[in-house]
Amino acid sequence: MPPVVRRLTAYEPPAGGGLIPRPRPRPVWVPEPEPPSPALDAERLLAVILEILDGRRTARLLRQVAVPGLAGRLASLVRPRSTRMVRPPRVCHPSPLVAELSVTVRREARALAVAARAEHRGGRWWFTAFEVLG
């Protein structure tokens, strides 16, 4: 049996300006704004650690500002000396509850860099990493 050929219906819009429906605009996705970071007094927090490492404050205070593993490691580094911050610390927030801090300090006529990481837990900021780079 030979194939049957049928005429297609017109699919072009009529000449003379027939209305072509425009596509609807897509809704724009707006991400939820992140909550602001809890208040962090970086200069005071770093000053406390530096004063403990210099022996001007008791090493027991480390348990109030650093996680236990870090507090134990820093307690072994306490020596009488003089350290002072040269400039205010720089703070970067990779997430709202994490802060990375860096500061330049002067100790025994040398300029050193300090790098630290603090995390907000239980309503307080805790140091989770602290390094004096010399």
Side-chain angles (χ1 to χ4, degrees):
M1 176 181 276
V4 177
V5 179
R6 295 189 185 118
R7 182 176 289 274
L8 294 175
T9 59
Y11 60 90
E12 294 291 326
L19 292 177
I20 301 173
R22 295 189 180 263
R24 286 192 219 164
R26 291 185 176 189
V28 177
W29 180 75
V30 178
E32 283 283 325
E34 288 190 21
S37 297
L40 169 66
D41 188 356
E43 192 163 355
R44 185 193 63 80
L45 204 54
L46 284 168
V48 167
I49 293 281
L50 293 172
E51 289 171 4
I52 292 169
L53 293 178
D54 290 350
R56 291 182 278 163
R57 288 187 183 222
T58 178
R60 287 183 310 205
L61 289 175
L62 283 171
R63 287 183 263 148
Q64 296 177 7
V65 294
V67 294
L70 179 63
R73 185 176 65 83
L74 290 176
S76 67
L77 301 176
V78 174
R79 288 190 316 184
R81 56 190 159 207
S82 172
T83 303
R84 66 181 179 85
M85 281 190 247
V86 176
R87 292 190 177 103
R90 294 182 181 261
V91 180
C92 171
H93 285 278
S95 78
L97 300 178
V98 175
E100 293 177 348
L101 306 108
S102 64
V103 68
T104 305
V105 298
R106 184 159 300 279
R107 177 187 284 169
E108 301 165 354
R110 290 180 58 201
L112 305 170
V114 173
R117 180 180 175 99
E119 295 180 9
H120 194 267
R121 300 179 188 165
R124 297 181 56 187
W125 285 98
W126 295 89
F127 277 111
T128 56
F130 191 92
E131 285 294 324
V132 178
L133 310 167

